[in-house]
Protein backbone atom coordinates (compact mmCIF):
# COMPACT_ATOMS: atom_id res chain seq x y z
CA UNK A 1 0.00 0.00 0.00
CA UNK A 2 1.58 3.27 -1.08
CA UNK A 3 -1.17 5.25 -2.84
CA UNK A 4 -4.50 6.02 -1.20
CA UNK A 5 -7.56 7.38 -2.97
CA UNK A 6 -9.52 9.28 -0.32
CA UNK A 7 -13.06 10.26 -1.34
CA UNK A 8 -14.56 13.22 0.51
CA UNK A 9 -11.06 14.29 1.59
CA UNK A 10 -12.04 17.98 1.58
CA UNK A 11 -14.79 17.43 4.17
CA UNK A 12 -14.49 17.34 7.94
CA UNK A 13 -13.38 13.79 8.78
CA UNK A 14 -11.82 13.00 5.41
CA UNK A 15 -9.55 16.06 5.63
CA UNK A 16 -8.55 15.21 9.19
CA UNK A 17 -7.60 11.75 7.88
CA UNK A 18 -5.57 13.22 5.00
CA UNK A 19 -3.68 15.51 7.40
CA UNK A 20 -3.11 12.52 9.71
CA UNK A 21 -1.83 10.23 6.94
CA UNK A 22 0.55 12.87 5.55
CA UNK A 23 1.86 13.55 9.08
CA UNK A 24 2.13 9.98 10.36
CA UNK A 25 3.04 7.88 7.26
CA UNK A 26 4.92 8.14 3.97
CA UNK A 27 1.85 7.26 1.90
CA UNK A 28 0.76 9.39 -1.05
CA UNK A 29 -2.83 10.55 -1.23
CA UNK A 30 -5.20 11.46 -4.04
CA UNK A 31 -8.37 13.19 -2.89
CA UNK A 32 -11.55 12.90 -4.95
CA UNK A 33 -14.09 15.44 -3.76
CA UNK A 34 -17.02 17.15 -5.46
CA UNK A 35 -16.64 20.24 -3.27
CA UNK A 36 -20.29 20.43 -2.32
CA UNK A 37 -21.31 23.07 0.23
CA UNK A 38 -19.54 20.82 2.79
CA UNK A 39 -16.19 20.53 1.01
CA UNK A 40 -13.43 23.11 1.24
CA UNK A 41 -10.25 22.94 -0.83
CA UNK A 42 -8.53 25.38 1.57
CA UNK A 43 -8.59 22.75 4.32
CA UNK A 44 -5.87 20.85 2.43
CA UNK A 45 -3.87 23.84 1.17
CA UNK A 46 -1.06 23.56 3.75
CA UNK A 47 -0.18 19.98 2.69
CA UNK A 48 2.81 19.17 0.44
CA UNK A 49 1.95 18.97 -3.28
CA UNK A 50 4.38 16.10 -3.86
CA UNK A 51 2.36 13.89 -1.48
CA UNK A 52 -1.17 15.04 -2.28
CA UNK A 53 -3.13 15.41 -5.50
CA UNK A 54 -6.60 16.85 -5.59
CA UNK A 55 -9.29 15.95 -8.11
CA UNK A 56 -12.60 17.76 -8.07
CA UNK A 57 -15.32 15.37 -9.17
CA UNK A 58 -18.32 13.24 -8.29
CA UNK A 59 -17.99 9.70 -6.89
CA UNK A 60 -20.99 8.81 -9.08
CA UNK A 61 -19.03 9.73 -12.26
CA UNK A 62 -18.15 6.19 -13.43
CA UNK A 63 -15.54 7.22 -16.03
CA UNK A 64 -13.62 9.46 -13.67
CA UNK A 65 -13.88 6.98 -10.80
CA UNK A 66 -12.64 4.10 -12.97
CA UNK A 67 -9.53 6.04 -14.03
CA UNK A 68 -8.67 7.03 -10.45
CA UNK A 69 -9.34 3.63 -8.89
CA UNK A 70 -7.24 1.88 -11.54
CA UNK A 71 -4.23 3.91 -10.38
CA UNK A 72 -4.55 3.40 -6.64
CA UNK A 73 -3.77 0.67 -4.10
CA UNK A 74 -6.53 1.41 -1.61
CA UNK A 75 -9.80 3.38 -1.70
CA UNK A 76 -10.80 5.00 1.59
CA UNK A 77 -14.37 6.13 1.09
CA UNK A 78 -15.49 9.10 3.22
CA UNK A 79 -17.55 11.05 0.66
CA UNK A 80 -21.19 11.38 1.66
CA UNK A 81 -24.03 13.73 2.25
CA UNK A 82 -23.63 13.74 6.02
CA UNK A 83 -26.18 15.97 7.78
CA UNK A 84 -29.36 14.45 9.21
CA UNK A 85 -31.25 17.76 9.20
CA UNK A 86 -30.57 18.27 5.48
CA UNK A 87 -31.74 14.73 4.75
CA UNK A 88 -35.12 15.51 6.31
CA UNK A 89 -35.70 18.41 3.94
CA UNK A 90 -34.11 17.10 0.71
CA UNK A 91 -33.27 13.39 0.75
CA UNK A 92 -32.42 13.03 -2.96
CA UNK A 93 -28.69 13.96 -2.81
CA UNK A 94 -28.33 11.39 0.00
CA UNK A 95 -29.56 8.62 -2.28
CA UNK A 96 -27.43 9.85 -5.19
CA UNK A 97 -24.15 10.16 -3.29
CA UNK A 98 -24.43 7.67 -0.45
CA UNK A 99 -26.02 4.84 -2.44
CA UNK A 100 -25.25 5.41 -6.14
CA UNK A 101 -21.86 6.99 -5.46
CA UNK A 102 -20.82 4.07 -3.26
CA UNK A 103 -22.10 1.63 -5.89
CA UNK A 104 -19.96 3.37 -8.54
CA UNK A 105 -16.84 3.12 -6.39
CA UNK A 106 -17.49 -0.53 -5.55
CA UNK A 107 -17.82 -1.47 -9.20
CA UNK A 108 -14.52 0.24 -10.03
CA UNK A 109 -12.78 -1.42 -7.07
CA UNK A 110 -14.15 -4.79 -8.18
CA UNK A 111 -12.96 -4.29 -11.79
CA UNK A 112 -9.44 -3.40 -10.70
CA UNK A 113 -9.27 -5.66 -7.60
CA UNK A 114 -8.47 -2.73 -5.32
CA UNK A 115 -8.65 -2.87 -1.51
CA UNK A 116 -11.61 -0.83 -0.25
CA UNK A 117 -12.39 0.69 3.13
CA UNK A 118 -15.88 2.06 3.70
CA UNK A 119 -16.45 4.78 6.31
CA UNK A 120 -19.82 4.56 8.00
CA UNK A 121 -21.68 5.61 11.10
CA UNK A 122 -23.15 4.15 14.28
CA UNK A 123 -26.49 5.65 13.20
CA UNK A 124 -27.14 2.58 11.04
CA UNK A 125 -28.05 0.77 14.28
CA UNK A 126 -30.85 3.17 15.21
CA UNK A 127 -30.94 4.38 18.80
CA UNK A 128 -30.82 3.10 22.38
CA UNK A 129 -32.86 3.90 25.49
CA UNK A 130 -31.06 6.17 27.96
CA UNK A 131 -30.86 3.39 30.55
CA UNK A 132 -30.03 0.51 28.16
CA UNK A 133 -26.97 -1.28 29.60
CA UNK A 134 -26.07 -2.59 26.12
CA UNK A 135 -24.12 -0.57 23.59
CA UNK A 136 -23.90 -1.05 19.80
CA UNK A 137 -21.65 -3.91 18.67
CA UNK A 138 -20.80 -5.32 15.24
CA UNK A 139 -23.73 -7.74 15.58
CA UNK A 140 -26.44 -5.18 16.50
CA UNK A 141 -29.22 -5.36 13.87
CA UNK A 142 -29.51 -2.46 11.43
CA UNK A 143 -32.43 -0.12 12.24
CA UNK A 144 -31.73 3.35 10.77
CA UNK A 145 -34.10 6.25 11.45
CA UNK A 146 -33.42 9.11 9.02
CA UNK A 147 -32.95 9.39 5.26
CA UNK A 148 -29.25 10.02 6.02
CA UNK A 149 -28.74 6.96 8.20
CA UNK A 150 -30.84 4.72 5.95
CA UNK A 151 -28.70 5.62 2.93
CA UNK A 152 -25.55 4.93 4.97
CA UNK A 153 -27.05 1.58 6.02
CA UNK A 154 -27.80 0.85 2.36
CA UNK A 155 -24.22 1.66 1.40
CA UNK A 156 -22.85 -0.66 4.12
CA UNK A 157 -25.03 -3.49 2.82
CA UNK A 158 -23.77 -2.91 -0.73
CA UNK A 159 -20.20 -3.25 0.54
CA UNK A 160 -21.05 -6.49 2.37
CA UNK A 161 -22.68 -7.88 -0.78
CA UNK A 162 -19.65 -6.98 -2.93
CA UNK A 163 -17.43 -8.83 -0.44
CA UNK A 164 -19.56 -11.93 -0.38
CA UNK A 165 -20.68 -12.09 -4.03
CA UNK A 166 -17.60 -10.75 -5.81
CA UNK A 167 -14.77 -11.33 -3.33
CA UNK A 168 -14.05 -7.59 -3.00
CA UNK A 169 -11.26 -6.99 -0.46
CA UNK A 170 -13.24 -4.59 1.71
CA UNK A 171 -13.60 -3.55 5.35
CA UNK A 172 -16.21 -1.30 6.99
CA UNK A 173 -15.99 0.93 10.04
CA UNK A 174 -18.93 2.47 11.88
CA UNK A 175 -17.87 5.40 14.04
CA UNK A 176 -19.67 7.53 16.61
CA UNK A 177 -20.04 11.36 16.55
CA UNK A 178 -16.80 13.14 15.66
CA UNK A 179 -15.64 16.55 16.82
CA UNK A 180 -12.51 18.60 16.16
CA UNK A 181 -11.12 21.11 13.64
CA UNK A 182 -12.61 21.66 10.16
CA UNK A 183 -16.15 20.55 11.05
CA UNK A 184 -18.84 22.40 9.11
CA UNK A 185 -20.78 25.01 11.12
CA UNK A 186 -24.07 23.22 10.41
CA UNK A 187 -23.10 20.51 12.93
CA UNK A 188 -23.94 20.72 16.63
CA UNK A 189 -20.62 21.61 18.30
CA UNK A 190 -19.23 24.10 15.74
CA UNK A 191 -22.68 25.67 15.33
CA UNK A 192 -22.87 26.49 19.03
CA UNK A 193 -19.25 27.66 19.32
CA UNK A 194 -19.60 30.01 16.35
CA UNK A 195 -22.99 31.23 17.62
CA UNK A 196 -21.38 32.23 20.92
CA UNK A 197 -18.55 33.97 19.05
CA UNK A 198 -21.27 35.89 17.14
CA UNK A 199 -23.13 36.80 20.34
CA UNK A 200 -26.04 34.47 19.42
CA UNK A 201 -27.53 32.07 21.99
CA UNK A 202 -26.85 28.36 21.31
CA UNK A 203 -29.83 26.33 20.04
CA UNK A 204 -30.74 23.06 21.77
CA UNK A 205 -33.20 20.72 20.03
CA UNK A 206 -36.06 19.74 22.36
CA UNK A 207 -35.07 18.99 25.95
CA UNK A 208 -31.50 18.16 24.94
CA UNK A 209 -31.42 14.83 26.75
CA UNK A 210 -30.29 13.01 23.59
CA UNK A 211 -26.93 11.33 24.09
CA UNK A 212 -24.10 11.23 21.55
CA UNK A 213 -20.85 9.25 21.96
CA UNK A 214 -18.15 11.80 21.08
CA UNK A 215 -14.77 10.92 19.58
CA UNK A 216 -12.03 13.26 18.41
CA UNK A 217 -11.52 13.15 14.62
CA UNK A 218 -7.82 12.27 15.16
CA UNK A 219 -8.82 9.11 17.00
CA UNK A 220 -11.16 8.21 14.15
CA UNK A 221 -8.21 8.67 11.75
CA UNK A 222 -5.85 6.49 13.79
CA UNK A 223 -8.53 3.78 13.94
CA UNK A 224 -9.03 3.82 10.15
CA UNK A 225 -5.28 3.62 9.54
CA UNK A 226 -5.10 0.69 11.97
CA UNK A 227 -7.85 -1.11 10.04
CA UNK A 228 -6.05 -0.46 6.74
CA UNK A 229 -2.82 -1.86 8.16
CA UNK A 230 -4.12 -4.79 10.22
CA UNK A 231 -7.86 -5.25 9.62
CA UNK A 232 -9.24 -8.50 8.23
CA UNK A 233 -10.93 -8.30 4.84
CA UNK A 234 -14.69 -8.76 5.09
CA UNK A 235 -14.81 -7.49 8.69
CA UNK A 236 -16.72 -4.60 10.24
CA UNK A 237 -15.17 -2.61 13.11
CA UNK A 238 -16.99 -0.20 15.41
CA UNK A 239 -15.00 2.90 16.38
CA UNK A 240 -15.75 4.75 19.62
CA UNK A 241 -13.95 6.34 22.55
CA UNK A 242 -16.43 6.02 25.45
CA UNK A 243 -17.45 9.67 25.14
CA UNK A 244 -21.17 9.66 25.99
CA UNK A 245 -22.60 13.11 26.79
CA UNK A 246 -26.08 14.53 26.47
CA UNK A 247 -26.55 17.60 24.28
CA UNK A 248 -27.54 19.82 27.20
CA UNK A 249 -24.27 19.03 28.99
CA UNK A 250 -22.27 19.74 25.82
CA UNK A 251 -23.91 23.16 25.34
CA UNK A 252 -23.33 24.02 29.00
CA UNK A 253 -19.64 23.01 28.70
CA UNK A 254 -19.22 25.16 25.58
CA UNK A 255 -20.77 28.16 27.34
CA UNK A 256 -18.60 27.64 30.40
CA UNK A 257 -15.41 27.26 28.34
CA UNK A 258 -16.30 30.43 26.42
CA UNK A 259 -16.86 32.45 29.62
CA UNK A 260 -20.68 32.68 29.39
CA UNK A 261 -23.32 31.70 31.95
CA UNK A 262 -24.26 28.04 31.50
CA UNK A 263 -28.00 28.75 31.11
CA UNK A 264 -27.56 31.19 28.21
CA UNK A 265 -29.08 29.00 25.49
CA UNK A 266 -32.52 28.48 23.86
CA UNK A 267 -34.61 25.35 23.42
CA UNK A 268 -35.87 25.09 19.82
CA UNK A 269 -38.18 22.71 17.95
CA UNK A 270 -36.94 19.12 18.09
CA UNK A 271 -35.58 17.19 15.08
CA UNK A 272 -38.19 14.92 13.50
CA UNK A 273 -37.47 11.27 14.34
CA UNK A 274 -34.58 12.40 16.60
CA UNK A 275 -32.46 9.44 17.72
CA UNK A 276 -32.29 9.33 21.51
CA UNK A 277 -28.92 7.76 22.25
CA UNK A 278 -25.90 6.29 20.50
CA UNK A 279 -23.23 4.33 22.35
CA UNK A 280 -20.40 2.26 20.87
CA UNK A 281 -18.72 -0.86 22.23
CA UNK A 282 -15.36 -0.81 20.44
CA UNK A 283 -13.97 -3.94 22.14
CA UNK A 284 -13.36 -5.74 18.84
CA UNK A 285 -11.18 -2.97 17.40
CA UNK A 286 -9.26 -2.64 20.68
CA UNK A 287 -8.66 -6.35 21.28
CA UNK A 288 -8.31 -7.71 17.73
CA UNK A 289 -6.26 -4.80 16.31
CA UNK A 290 -4.77 -3.21 19.45
CA UNK A 291 -6.19 0.28 18.82
CA UNK A 292 -6.65 2.78 21.66
CA UNK A 293 -7.94 6.36 21.49
CA UNK A 294 -5.58 9.16 22.53
CA UNK A 295 -8.15 11.89 23.25
CA UNK A 296 -9.94 10.42 26.26
CA UNK A 297 -10.60 13.79 27.96
CA UNK A 298 -13.68 15.22 26.17
CA UNK A 299 -13.55 18.50 28.08
CA UNK A 300 -9.92 19.11 27.04
CA UNK A 301 -10.77 18.21 23.43
CA UNK A 302 -13.71 20.62 23.50
CA UNK A 303 -11.48 23.41 24.87
CA UNK A 304 -8.99 22.81 22.02
CA UNK A 305 -11.88 22.85 19.51
CA UNK A 306 -13.22 26.15 20.88
CA UNK A 307 -9.69 27.59 20.56
CA UNK A 308 -9.46 26.32 16.96
CA UNK A 309 -12.74 28.01 15.94
CA UNK A 310 -11.70 31.24 17.66
CA UNK A 311 -8.37 31.21 15.77
CA UNK A 312 -9.73 30.09 12.39
CA UNK A 313 -12.64 32.41 11.76
CA UNK A 314 -11.49 32.94 8.15
CA UNK A 315 -12.11 29.22 7.55
CA UNK A 316 -15.70 29.05 8.85
CA UNK A 317 -17.03 32.58 8.41
CA UNK A 318 -17.97 32.21 4.69
CA UNK A 319 -20.43 29.38 5.55
CA UNK A 320 -22.00 30.82 8.68
CA UNK A 321 -24.71 33.18 7.36
CA UNK A 322 -26.09 30.75 4.74
CA UNK A 323 -26.14 27.91 7.30
CA UNK A 324 -28.11 29.95 9.83
CA UNK A 325 -30.49 31.19 7.09
CA UNK A 326 -31.27 27.54 6.29
CA UNK A 327 -31.96 26.79 9.97
CA UNK A 328 -34.22 29.83 10.18
CA UNK A 329 -36.62 28.29 7.64
CA UNK A 330 -37.30 25.42 10.08
CA UNK A 331 -37.32 27.47 13.26
CA UNK A 332 -34.22 25.70 14.52
P1 LIG B 1 -18.77 16.29 5.50
O1 LIG B 1 -20.15 16.63 5.05
O2 LIG B 1 -18.02 17.26 6.34
O3 LIG B 1 -17.86 15.98 4.22
C1 LIG B 1 -18.31 15.25 3.12
C2 LIG B 1 -17.35 15.48 1.95
O4 LIG B 1 -17.79 14.67 0.85
C3 LIG B 1 -17.33 16.93 1.46
O5 LIG B 1 -16.02 17.35 1.23
C4 LIG B 1 -18.13 16.88 0.16
O6 LIG B 1 -17.72 17.86 -0.79
C5 LIG B 1 -17.81 15.46 -0.33
N1 LIG B 1 -18.86 14.93 -1.22
C6 LIG B 1 -20.20 14.93 -1.02
N2 LIG B 1 -20.81 14.37 -2.07
C7 LIG B 1 -19.84 13.99 -2.94
C8 LIG B 1 -19.86 13.34 -4.20
N3 LIG B 1 -21.01 12.97 -4.80
N4 LIG B 1 -18.68 13.08 -4.82
C9 LIG B 1 -17.51 13.45 -4.23
N5 LIG B 1 -17.43 14.09 -3.05
C10 LIG B 1 -18.59 14.34 -2.41
O7 LIG B 1 -18.91 14.89 6.20
P2 LIG B 1 -18.10 14.27 7.44
O8 LIG B 1 -18.76 14.64 8.70
O9 LIG B 1 -16.66 14.56 7.26
O10 LIG B 1 -18.36 12.71 7.20
C11 LIG B 1 -17.48 11.94 6.38
C12 LIG B 1 -17.88 10.50 6.42
O11 LIG B 1 -17.85 10.01 7.74
C13 LIG B 1 -19.30 10.24 5.91
O12 LIG B 1 -19.30 9.03 5.17
C14 LIG B 1 -20.12 10.08 7.18
O13 LIG B 1 -21.24 9.28 6.97
C15 LIG B 1 -19.10 9.43 8.08
N6 LIG B 1 -19.30 9.64 9.54
C16 LIG B 1 -19.42 10.90 10.03
C17 LIG B 1 -19.52 11.08 11.41
C18 LIG B 1 -19.60 12.46 12.01
O14 LIG B 1 -19.68 12.57 13.23
N7 LIG B 1 -19.57 13.54 11.25
C19 LIG B 1 -19.52 9.97 12.25
C20 LIG B 1 -19.41 8.69 11.70
C21 LIG B 1 -19.28 8.55 10.34
O1 LIG C 1 -28.29 23.18 16.55
C1 LIG C 1 -28.35 22.01 16.92
N1 LIG C 1 -28.88 21.70 18.14
C2 LIG C 1 -28.98 20.44 18.62
O2 LIG C 1 -29.48 20.23 19.74
C3 LIG C 1 -27.85 20.91 16.10
C4 LIG C 1 -27.26 21.19 14.74
C5 LIG C 1 -27.95 19.64 16.61
N2 LIG C 1 -28.49 19.39 17.82
C6 LIG C 1 -28.52 18.01 18.35
C7 LIG C 1 -29.01 16.94 17.41
C8 LIG C 1 -28.19 15.74 17.84
O3 LIG C 1 -28.81 15.09 18.94
O4 LIG C 1 -27.15 17.69 18.62
C9 LIG C 1 -26.87 16.32 18.32
C10 LIG C 1 -25.76 16.24 17.28
O5 LIG C 1 -26.29 16.74 16.07
P1 LIG C 1 -25.44 16.70 14.69
O6 LIG C 1 -24.17 17.45 14.86
O7 LIG C 1 -26.36 17.12 13.60
O8 LIG C 1 -25.04 15.17 14.59
P2 LIG C 1 -25.88 13.80 14.51
O9 LIG C 1 -27.23 14.02 13.93
O10 LIG C 1 -25.76 13.11 15.83
O11 LIG C 1 -25.01 13.02 13.38
C11 LIG C 1 -23.56 13.11 13.39
O12 LIG C 1 -23.00 11.93 13.92
C12 LIG C 1 -23.13 10.76 13.16
C13 LIG C 1 -23.03 13.35 11.98
O13 LIG C 1 -23.63 14.54 11.46
C14 LIG C 1 -23.31 12.17 11.09
O14 LIG C 1 -22.70 12.38 9.81
C15 LIG C 1 -22.70 10.95 11.73
O15 LIG C 1 -23.03 9.82 10.98
Amino acid sequence: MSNLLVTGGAGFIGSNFVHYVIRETDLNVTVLDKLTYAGNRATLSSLPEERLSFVQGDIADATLVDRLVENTDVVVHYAAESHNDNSLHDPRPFVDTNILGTYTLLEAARRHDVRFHHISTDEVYGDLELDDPERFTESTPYNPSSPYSSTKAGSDLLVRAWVRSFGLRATISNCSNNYGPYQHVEKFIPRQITNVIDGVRPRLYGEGLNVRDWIHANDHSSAVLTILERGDVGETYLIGADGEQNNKAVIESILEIMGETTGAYDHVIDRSGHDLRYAIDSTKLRTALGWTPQYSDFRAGLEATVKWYRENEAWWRPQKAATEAKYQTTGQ
Side-chain angles (χ1 to χ4, degrees):
M1 157 168 110
S2 62
N3 293 301
L4 302 185
L5 177 65
V6 179
T7 72
F12 164 45
I13 309 179
S15 67
N16 272 278
F17 178 74
V18 173
H19 278 269
Y20 185 85
V21 163
I22 299 283
R23 198 168 59 237
E24 302 290 334
T25 76
D26 55 8
L27 299 169
N28 293 321
V29 175
T30 300
V31 166
L32 170 61
D33 197 296
K34 189 177 176 182
L35 298 181
T36 67
Y37 79 96
N40 189 341
R41 180 73 182 84
T43 305
L44 302 170
S45 60
S46 62
L47 295 173
E49 280 175 24
E50 62 280 10
R51 304 268 314 276
L52 175 72
S53 0
F54 183 84
V55 178
Q56 182 172 0
D58 193 327
I59 57 166
D61 176 342
T63 310
L64 173 64
V65 162
D66 191 81
R67 176 168 62 76
L68 294 173
V69 170
E70 186 177 12
N71 293 304
T72 198
D73 302 313
V74 184
V75 175
V76 191
H77 174 34
Y78 286 89
E81 285 292 335
S82 70
H83 193 35
N84 277 299
D85 290 327
N86 291 342
S87 82
L88 295 168
H89 305 296
D90 184 14
R92 178 63 196 246
F94 291 75
V95 175
D96 289 342
T97 289
N98 301 358
I99 305 264
L100 293 174
T102 300
Y103 159 78
T104 307
L105 288 162
L106 286 170
E107 281 293 78
R110 166 158 89 110
R111 257 191 310 276
H112 299 294
D113 187 25
V114 165
R115 169 91 167 80
F116 192 91
H117 181 71
H118 180 61
I119 303 295
S120 192
T121 169
D122 59 0
E123 296 191 16
V124 299
Y125 300 114
D127 58 356
L128 299 163
E129 293 300 329
L130 294 180
D131 60 356
D132 192 333
E134 301 298 317
R135 296 181 291 169
F136 299 138
T137 70
E138 287 76 6
S139 53
T140 303
Y142 274 40
N143 186 27
S145 311
S146 72
Y148 162 68
S149 53
S150 61
T151 57
K152 290 300 291 187
S155 67
D156 293 11
L157 298 180
L158 291 177
V159 177
R160 289 184 182 192
W162 261 243
V163 170
R164 176 156 174 168
S165 303
F166 305 126
L168 185 76
R169 293 180 293 126
T171 40
I172 300 174
S173 54
N174 297 80
C175 188
S176 62
N177 282 61
N178 284 223
Y179 72 98
Y182 302 115
Q183 187 168 29
H184 194 279
V185 290
E186 71 188 354
K187 301 296 192 326
F188 180 53
I189 288 179
R191 183 181 187 207
Q192 314 312 339
I193 294 171
T194 54
N195 274 355
V196 175
I197 291 172
D198 280 352
V200 172
R201 287 162 72 91
R203 319 271 284 170
L204 187 64
Y205 292 176
E207 288 304 306
L209 300 179
N210 309 64
V211 170
R212 296 295 181 263
D213 189 351
W214 294 99
I215 181 172
H216 194 280
N218 263 345
D219 280 334
H220 189 177
S221 296
S222 71
V224 170
L225 193 60
T226 301
I227 295 166
L228 292 177
E229 288 169 347
R230 301 198 286 280
D232 286 331
V233 161
E235 291 296 313
T236 290
Y237 298 91
L238 262 55
I239 305 173
D242 301 330
E244 283 188 69
Q245 295 271 338
N246 76 29
N247 295 338
K248 187 168 174 291
V250 173
I251 279 203
E252 287 171 358
S253 295
I254 290 171
L255 285 162
E256 202 174 86
I257 289 165
M258 299 185 76
E260 306 286 330
T261 49
T262 53
Y265 60 87
D266 292 328
H267 293 273
V268 296
I269 183 169
D270 207 351
R271 174 183 285 171
S272 175
H274 199 173
D275 280 339
L276 186 54
R277 172 174 164 239
Y278 307 136
I280 288 263
D281 178 346
S282 59
T283 303
K284 176 177 172 181
L285 178 64
R286 294 176 195 233
T287 54
L289 304 187
W291 173 81
T292 42
Q294 300 302 308
Y295 294 75
S296 48
D297 183 343
F298 177 69
R299 172 74 181 209
L302 199 55
E303 282 170 14
T305 304
V306 167
K307 184 166 181 287
W308 191 88
Y309 280 90
R310 281 197 196 280
E311 289 172 355
N312 290 276
E313 184 166 339
W315 182 88
W316 58 263
R317 176 59 68 194
Q319 276 78 47
K320 184 66 180 167
T323 302
E324 288 306 315
K326 203 148 80 176
Y327 277 122
Q328 237 167 28
T329 64
T330 61
Q332 291 175 314

